[in-house]
Amino acid sequence: MKAVHTELHRSHDPQFFLVRGVVKRTTEQPERADRLLKGLKDGKHQLVEPTKFGQGPRARVHSPEYLSFLSEAWDAWTALGDSGPEMIGNVHPVRHAATYPTHIVGKLGWHTADTAAPIGPGTWAAACAATDVAATAAQMVMDGEDAVYALCRPPGHHAYRDMAGGFCFLNNSAIAAAHLRQKHERVVILDVDVHHGNGTQGIFYARPDVYTVSIHADPTDYYPYVWGYAHERGEGLGLGTNLNIPLAIGTGDDGYIQAMDVARKAIESFAPGALVIALGLDASEHDPLKGLAVTTPGFRRIGQAIAKMGLPTVFVQEGGYLSEILGANLTSVLAGFEEAR
C-alpha cells in the first residue's frame, strides 16, 4: 500500500492544551508523524508526495467564511500588538440569534468549539497540506489503487464545516469522502479513532450520500462529551445515515471487533462505492489519552476486518499520540488489511 506524506506538517507545532484547568503541552506534536513514518518504513510502504489541489477540495466541505478566517487569522492576530504566541479563544458564542463578528477575537471564538485547537503562525499552511495529502490519497484510489494511506497532520475529524476543535482545523476525512463522491454515488466514512468524529458527523448529518459510522469511547465519560451517542442517527434526508457505536471505557480487542462487525453489516446495507477510514490509533492500550485498550495484535484484526468489506479504501490518519508503540500499531493495522485483501 502506498502512503502519502509531506514534511509541511511541521509548521504546525502547538503548545497549549488545557486539561481540567491545568495547562499542559499538547499531545498533538510533530513527533507523532516521525513515529508514524517509522511504522510505514517498517511496513515497507512507498511514500508519495501530495498533489497541490488548492482550495477546491476544502471548499467542498468548509464554509467560505471559515476558510477566509483560517487563512487570515494569524496576520490579524499579530496586528493586535499585544497578542499571545498562539490564538486561543476566550469568547465562544452559542450562536443563538448571534451576529457574525468582525473583530479577530470574536471570529476566533465563533470558529472554535474549544481551547484544544490553538492557531500558530504555520497552522494554516500545515492544515492545507494535510488536505492535499487526503485528496491525493482519494484521487489515487479513484485512479485505480486498491487502498492508500494518508499521513495527515494536523488531524481533522473534530472540525466542523465552520469550526475547529480537538486539535483539528480542516476535516481531512470529510475532504477525502467529498473527493471520492466525484466518482462514487455513495461513500462511507468509518471512524475508528478513540474519540467520536463529531465534526465529520456534523458535516454530513443531513446528507443521504455519505454514511458516517464512528466507533469510540462512550462520550458520557470522554471527549467530546456532547456528541457521539447511539441515538444520533442523522436528520432530514440524512436520517439513518449516521451510526454511532460508543464503547465502555477500557474496552479491549474482542469488544472492539464485535463493534466492527456491527459496523460492517450496516456499511454493507448502504452499498457504498468507496470507504474512508478515519484512522485513529489512540484506541491503543498505551495511548496517553487512555480511553480504550486495543493491543497491537488487535489493530491487525481491525485492519483485517476493514479489508473484508472489499471496498476501495482511503486510510486518513486521525489521532494516535506519543507512545513507544504508535508506529508499530500503524504497521499492524495496514499489515492486517493487506494480508486479508
Side-chain angles (χ1 to χ4, degrees):
M1 185 190 310
K2 294 175 182 176
V4 187
H5 166 67
T6 174
E7 286 292 300
L8 294 176
H9 77 89
R10 295 188 186 280
S11 68
H12 177 62
D13 188 9
Q15 304 295 313
F16 183 93
F17 188 32
L18 186 64
V19 183
R20 298 174 184 168
V22 179
V23 177
K24 301 181 178 181
R25 173 77 194 277
T26 182
T27 52
E28 209 295 279
Q29 301 174 23
E31 186 183 346
R32 290 182 61 228
D34 296 332
R35 299 192 184 198
L36 293 167
L37 284 168
K38 174 64 163 56
L40 292 174
K41 180 180 179 181
D42 290 345
K44 297 181 171 55
H45 297 280
Q46 178 186 344
L47 294 182
V48 178
E49 282 287 322
T51 300
K52 292 185 179 179
F53 283 87
Q55 197 78 308
R58 298 187 281 273
R60 291 192 195 105
V61 167
H62 295 287
S63 73
E65 294 85 1
Y66 182 56
L67 293 172
S68 177
F69 160 73
L70 287 176
S71 67
E72 300 168 357
W74 185 253
D75 288 344
W77 181 255
T78 55
L80 293 175
D82 57 353
S83 51
E86 292 183 301
M87 296 179 66
I88 302 155
N90 61 290
V91 177
H92 294 284
V94 292
R95 304 191 184 191
H96 294 305
T99 299
Y100 185 71
T102 57
H103 194 281
I104 186 57
V105 173
K107 287 183 178 181
L108 177 59
W110 184 277
H111 289 299
T112 51
D114 53 39
T115 59
I119 297 172
T123 297
W124 170 244
C128 288
T131 68
D132 284 336
V133 169
T136 299
Q139 186 64 49
M140 291 170 66
V141 168
M142 289 166 62
D143 290 343
E145 294 284 345
D146 179 55
V148 179
Y149 167 78
L151 204 174
C152 295
R153 186 187 165 269
H157 74 149
H158 296 307
Y160 285 84
R161 181 173 182 269
D162 64 350
M163 196 160 52
F167 308 155
C168 302
F169 303 90
L170 298 171
N171 196 311
N172 306 308
S173 292
I175 286 167
H179 199 79
L180 289 166
R181 274 285 291 112
Q182 296 177 103
K183 179 176 181 179
H184 299 284
E185 184 178 350
R186 290 180 300 280
V187 175
V188 167
I189 301 174
L190 172 59
D191 193 320
V192 297
D193 192 282
V194 75
H195 303 97
H196 173 244
N198 55 305
T200 310
Q201 172 177 298
I203 287 167
F204 296 111
Y205 206 58
R207 285 178 53 169
D209 57 330
V210 178
Y211 190 17
T212 48
V213 182
S214 182
I215 303 171
H216 50 269
D218 192 334
T220 301
D221 301 300
Y222 206 69
Y223 184 92
Y225 299 106
V226 296
W227 298 287
Y229 294 87
H231 66 263
E232 299 164 10
R233 299 183 55 245
E235 64 184 11
L237 294 176
L239 183 61
T241 58
N242 186 80
L243 175 64
N244 290 327
I245 308 175
L247 301 177
I249 301 297
T251 295
D253 295 354
D254 290 343
Y256 203 100
I257 294 302
Q258 290 173 9
M260 286 290 295
D261 191 52
V262 172
R264 176 186 56 79
K265 291 176 182 177
I267 290 168
E268 288 176 351
S269 296
F270 187 67
L275 174 65
V276 174
I277 300 297
L279 183 62
L281 298 170
D282 42 7
S284 168
E285 61 181 342
H286 297 295
D287 194 88
L289 299 184
K290 296 191 181 301
L292 301 176
V294 175
T295 67
T296 299
F299 278 106
R300 183 178 290 262
R301 293 172 65 188
I302 291 172
Q304 293 168 342
I306 294 167
K308 290 175 182 177
M309 297 181 195
L311 293 164
T313 303
V314 180
F315 288 88
V316 177
Q317 187 64 51
E318 295 290 354
Y321 301 99
L322 296 183
S323 70
E324 293 302 319
I325 209 73
L326 178 59
N329 287 340
L330 177 58
T331 305
S332 184
V333 71
L334 297 184
F337 179 90
E338 291 181 322
E339 68 190 18
R341 264 311 209 209

